[in-house]
């Protein structure tokens, strides 16, 4: 109970869309704002990345998402019990991510470790979204790739 004399408002919540907006399919410029390593459902681990849009982008529902809109992406680490082939694919995905962040290539790519990941914070890259096979509580699109920002 409040001490104020203001009456409690009545708000009609019928028909309110509670789904989380997704970035529409396409490329967006984003800033890395955080990371952590978490267990994944397959018995290995994943790199959970937190991003913010660096520029306006469209949502999957036609709305404009402003800079600062937060989205997440995951990369599986090469410790999967699924076997060496899956671990090699996971390693390649990490290498592509590192190349995008540091504009590196195979011979200049930094090692993947906590120090390098901390150096990723506040770096920008191009993130590509694609449509998911099935929409879930996190929206209808997902991150499909990362690329370095090409100036000029």
């Amino acid at each position: 109970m409040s001490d104020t004399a203001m009456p409690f408002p009545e708000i009609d919540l019928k028909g309110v869309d509670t789904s989380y907006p997704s970035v529409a399919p396409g490329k967006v410029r984003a800033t890395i704002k955080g990371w952590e390593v978490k267990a994944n459902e397959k018995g290995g681990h994943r790199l959970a990345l937190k991003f913010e849009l660096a520029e306006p982008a469209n949502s999957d529902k036609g709305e404009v998402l402003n800079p600062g809109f937060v989205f997440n992406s995951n990369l599986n680490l090469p410790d999967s019990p699924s076997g060496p082939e899956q671990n090699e694919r996971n390693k390649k995905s990490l290498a592509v991510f590192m190349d995008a962040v540091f504009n590196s290539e195979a011979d200049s790519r930094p090692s993947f470790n906590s120090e390098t990941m901390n150096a990723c914070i506040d770096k920008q890259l191009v993130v590509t979204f694609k449509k998911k096979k099935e929409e879930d509580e996190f929206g209808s699109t997902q991150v499909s790739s990362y690329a370095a920002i090409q100036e000029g």
Side-chain angles (χ1 to χ4, degrees):
M1 181 113 189
S2 171
D3 290 3
T4 65
M6 186 174 138
F8 192 83
E10 182 173 331
I11 302 169
D12 182 6
L13 299 176
K14 291 182 211 90
V16 174
D17 182 359
T18 61
S19 64
Y20 189 76
S22 292
V23 177
K27 296 179 182 203
V28 296
R29 189 179 284 219
T31 306
I32 302 167
K33 299 310 280 183
W35 67 274
E36 63 181 307
V37 173
K38 295 182 173 185
N40 66 23
E41 62 280 349
K42 297 175 184 171
H45 294 86
R46 62 188 166 94
L47 175 63
L49 297 160
K50 178 182 174 184
F51 291 92
E52 287 184 0
L53 286 178
E55 59 191 8
N58 290 325
S59 79
D60 58 341
K61 297 178 182 192
E63 306 162 325
V64 173
L65 302 173
N66 292 314
F69 174 82
V70 175
F71 65 92
N72 300 298
S73 180
N74 296 296
L75 290 169
N76 286 321
L77 298 181
D79 66 347
S80 170
S82 300
E85 294 85 14
Q86 182 61 51
N87 286 331
E88 193 58 32
R89 284 192 294 274
N90 294 347
K91 206 177 210 183
K92 286 180 182 179
S93 294
L94 281 175
V96 168
F97 172 74
M98 297 302 269
D99 289 348
V101 174
F102 294 103
N103 205 13
S104 59
E105 296 177 355
D107 60 344
S108 64
R109 186 178 300 128
S111 296
F112 176 78
N113 56 43
S114 61
E115 183 179 322
T116 305
M117 286 308 303
N118 286 336
C120 291
I121 302 299
D122 291 328
K123 291 203 178 267
Q124 288 191 0
L125 62 160
V126 176
V127 180
T128 301
F129 282 81
K130 70 175 185 176
K131 193 152 184 64
K132 289 182 184 175
K133 292 178 185 169
E134 292 183 33
E135 186 170 344
D136 60 21
E137 69 270 21
F138 301 109
S140 66
T141 61
Q142 65 188 19
V143 172
S144 64
S145 66
Y146 309 94
I149 293 174
Q150 303 299 321
E151 299 297 335

